[in-house]
């Protein structure tokens, strides 16, 4: 089955701790994205990557870091600098950025719910 | 002002009703429009997508884009309890300003009561 796998489903962070959320896709998509969703709010972009070994900050990158060493993997680290990390984190991918409609469609994983202990 | 505005609801309707969900936007460069459905504690799934203006129909769902008014709609006919979810609109611009980033609305929570 092709898709996007996020793990773990639930994650708890202690104060001062860094935690890493996993995102793996087997859709052969070039672009990958990380979003944060808070209750009653839409999706806010944290980081995105259009190609391996390259990524850009989104609207709320502070306190987060990413890497893109492989096409199929885009892990997100929530650092201790992120003072309010409790949220639902969603990873998405798309074929590649570009002017065609199909390239604008993003496909999402099931999400990771992060809470602070 | 947000680039995309969507009434968060909640919207509660009886089973069988016609539902209208709407988003307004301010950026006239937006060309690609999508509707995602998100069940509680799940990731969003693509429901409908359209390019530029016009209507698109898929079963009980119709997506409508009015670029002159900067307004998009999703209509659900014969609504079912299984349609109860949060509906997110998303859009992106045309041309060189397109980086693949989507701009999302806040999402509207819909409840269809049996």
């Amino acid at each position: 089955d092709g898709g996007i796998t996020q793990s773990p489903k639930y994650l708890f962070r202690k104060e001062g701790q860094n935690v890493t959320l996993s995102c793996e896709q087997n859709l052969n998509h070039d672009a990958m994205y990380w979003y944060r969703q808070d209750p009653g709010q839409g999706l806010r972009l944290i980081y995105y990557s259009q190609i391996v070994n390259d990524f850009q900050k989104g609207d709320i990158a502070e306190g987060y870091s990413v890497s893109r060493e492989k096409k199929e993997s885009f892990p997100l680290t929530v650092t201790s600098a992120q003072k309010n990390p409790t949220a639902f984190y969603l990873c998405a991918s798309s074929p590649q950025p570009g002017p065609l409609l199909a390239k604008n469609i993003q496909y999402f994983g099931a999400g990771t719910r992060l809470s602070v202990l | 002002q947000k680039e995309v505005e969507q009434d968060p609801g909640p919207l509660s309707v009886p089973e069988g009703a016609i539902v209208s969900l709407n988003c307004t936007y301010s950026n006239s460069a937006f060309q690609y429009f999508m509707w995602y459905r998100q069940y509680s504690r799940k990731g969003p799934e693509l429901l409908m997508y359209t390019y530029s203006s016009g209507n698109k129909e898929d079963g009980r769902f119709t997506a409508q884009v009015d670029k002159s008014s900067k307004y998009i709609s999703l209509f659900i006919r014969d609504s079912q309890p299984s349609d109860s979810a949060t509906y997110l609109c998303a859009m992106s611009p045309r041309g060189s300003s397109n980086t693949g980033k989507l701009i999302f609305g806040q999402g509207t929570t819909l409840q269809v009561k049996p």
Side-chain angles (χ1 to χ4, degrees), chain A residues 44-110:
Chain A
R44 293 186 290 169
L45 183 64
I46 305 172
Y47 269 98
Y48 65 105
S49 168
Q50 298 177 347
I51 196 169
V52 174
N53 292 323
D54 188 42
F55 48 83
Q56 287 79 38
K57 292 182 179 180
D59 301 318
I60 55 165
E62 187 174 348
Y64 300 97
S65 66
V66 293
S67 62
R68 186 83 187 278
E69 297 176 1
K70 298 187 294 183
K71 186 176 183 177
E72 58 270 23
S73 179
F74 191 40
L76 173 74
T77 297
V78 184
T79 74
S80 57
Q82 173 49 248
K83 298 306 179 187
N84 183 23
T86 298
F88 189 47
Y89 290 86
L90 288 159
C91 178
S93 70
S94 65
Q96 65 183 136
L100 299 180
L101 175 57
K103 297 179 179 180
N104 284 268
I105 297 172
Q106 293 183 14
Y107 300 86
F108 286 84

